[in-house]
């Protein structure tokens, strides 16, 4: 495994570090890591960009050729952010899917104790089967995780309250959950606190 020179030139700004396609190319960092998972269109890039205050940062992960890679970013919180592109595998060849799964499993194996995951889901859609699958995978690998509900602004005030109640009743005892909107910036402070807390553990 390679060891990267860190912090980057400007440590006060979030920046793209590298994309990794296979386990043997995984870098090691002397920092904690957070990995963001989410089905495509859930609002992952928007949330990362809003959180990092960089307009097109996470667009990097959507560049053709990078959509099945782990994309590593430096955060000024001195934490490495990993964008794990969407789990909508309907239209990709089996070999690509297998390669991606192998990479993910090796990554999770390697990062125990160093990694916390953020599972993004659309506030309008609650937790879906593919989210449950990732949760199971994380539990098996002993990776702590936080649920992040996106696009909160798309819900009416009443539905926002319903979501909060449901989280309190069904999720709060199992894992932390955050509600966010990249559009209104609601919840970004909570995300910041969560990442800082993990980074300083
Ligand atoms: P990704 O595929 O998960 O990276 O999703 P994107 O960040 O590209 O967002 C998908 C779509 O949802 C885009 O049209 C965004 O403008 C929109 N979107 C993302 N976040 C929000 C949000 O917080 N509020 C609203 N209203 N729209 C959002």
């Amino acid at each position: 495994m390679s060891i990267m020179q860190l912090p980057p030139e400007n440590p006060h700004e979030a920046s793209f570090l590298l994309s990794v396609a296979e386990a043997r190319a995984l870098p090691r960092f002397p920092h904690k890591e957070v990995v963001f998972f989410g089905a495509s269109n859930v609002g992952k890039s928007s949330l990362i960009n809003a959180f990092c205050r960089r307009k097109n940062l996470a667009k990097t992960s959507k560049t053709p050729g990078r959509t099945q890679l782990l994309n590593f970013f430096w955060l000024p919180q001195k934490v490495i952010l990993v964008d794990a592109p969407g789990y909508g595998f309907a239209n990709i060849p089996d070999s690509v899917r297998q390669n991606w799964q192998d990479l993910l499993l090796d990554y999770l194996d390697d990062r125990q104790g160093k990694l916390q995951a953020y599972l993004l889901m659309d506030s309008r859609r609650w937790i879906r089967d593919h989210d449950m699958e990732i949760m199971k995978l994380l539990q098996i690998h002993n990776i702590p995780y936080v649920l992040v509900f996106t696009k909160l602004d798309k819900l009416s005030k009443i539905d926002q309250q319903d979501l909060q109640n449901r989280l309190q009743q069904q999720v709060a005892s199992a894992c932390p959950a955050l509600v966010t909107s990249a559009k209104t910036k609601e919840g970004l402070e909570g995300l910041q606190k969560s990442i800082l807390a993990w980074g300083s553990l």
Side-chain angles (χ1 to χ4, degrees), residues 4-194:
M4 279 196 81
Q5 192 57 44
L6 280 175
E9 218 167 279
N10 181 357
H12 305 297
E13 191 175 72
S15 55
F16 173 71
L17 295 172
L18 80 165
S19 294
V20 170
E22 47 188 359
R24 63 191 169 87
L26 279 168
R28 281 251 169 87
F29 301 105
H31 300 279
K32 289 282 192 59
E33 293 178 29
V34 293
V35 60
F36 278 45
F37 290 106
S40 14
N41 229 28
V42 77
K44 183 153 55 73
S45 317
S46 303
L47 191 69
I48 292 174
N49 289 338
F51 175 72
C52 294
R53 298 201 193 96
R54 291 276 315 269
K55 237 182 168 180
N56 285 319
L57 189 68
K59 208 174 148 197
T60 323
S61 304
K62 289 190 166 182
T63 348
R66 284 207 179 128
T67 50
Q68 265 94 43
L69 308 178
L70 292 175
N71 299 296
F72 290 77
F73 298 86
W74 165 261
L75 294 183
Q77 292 82 358
K78 298 193 177 69
V79 170
I80 305 297
L81 183 149
V82 182
D83 186 355
Y87 32 87
F89 288 127
N91 299 317
I92 63 169
D94 282 351
S95 59
V96 176
R97 183 185 301 124
Q98 192 58 52
N99 186 51
W100 161 243
Q101 282 170 354
D102 292 348
L103 171 63
L104 185 60
L105 293 183
D106 281 348
Y107 175 66
L108 296 179
D109 259 348
D110 187 65
R111 275 5 195 214
Q112 283 194 22
K114 282 195 71 181
L115 179 67
Q116 175 154 276
Y118 291 78
L119 255 73
L120 273 57
M121 43 210 96
D122 191 312
S123 291
R124 296 165 296 179
R125 303 226 168 80
W126 193 238
I127 303 165
R128 303 171 109 188
D129 286 350
H130 52 236
D131 303 313
M132 300 292 282
E133 276 169 32
I134 294 277
M135 281 187 234
K136 260 189 239 151
L137 192 65
L138 294 168
Q139 284 161 7
I140 291 168
H141 287 83
N142 260 324
I143 306 284
Y145 56 84
V146 176
L147 304 191
V148 180
F149 288 82
T150 60
K151 307 189 191 180
L152 188 68
D153 61 283
K154 296 252 190 193
L155 293 184
S156 67
K157 288 288 166 212
I158 290 177
D159 288 342
Q160 290 188 16
Q161 193 53 54
D162 280 352
L163 174 63
Q164 294 282 14
N165 294 342
R166 211 167 164 194
L167 288 174
Q168 199 58 44
Q169 286 157 10
Q170 299 181 32
V171 174
S173 59
C175 65
L178 301 168
V179 291
T180 64
S181 163
K183 191 172 175 188
T184 64
K185 314 273 186 279
E186 188 166 351
L188 294 190
E189 209 178 307
L191 184 58
Q192 157 98 335
K193 276 192 191 146
S194 168

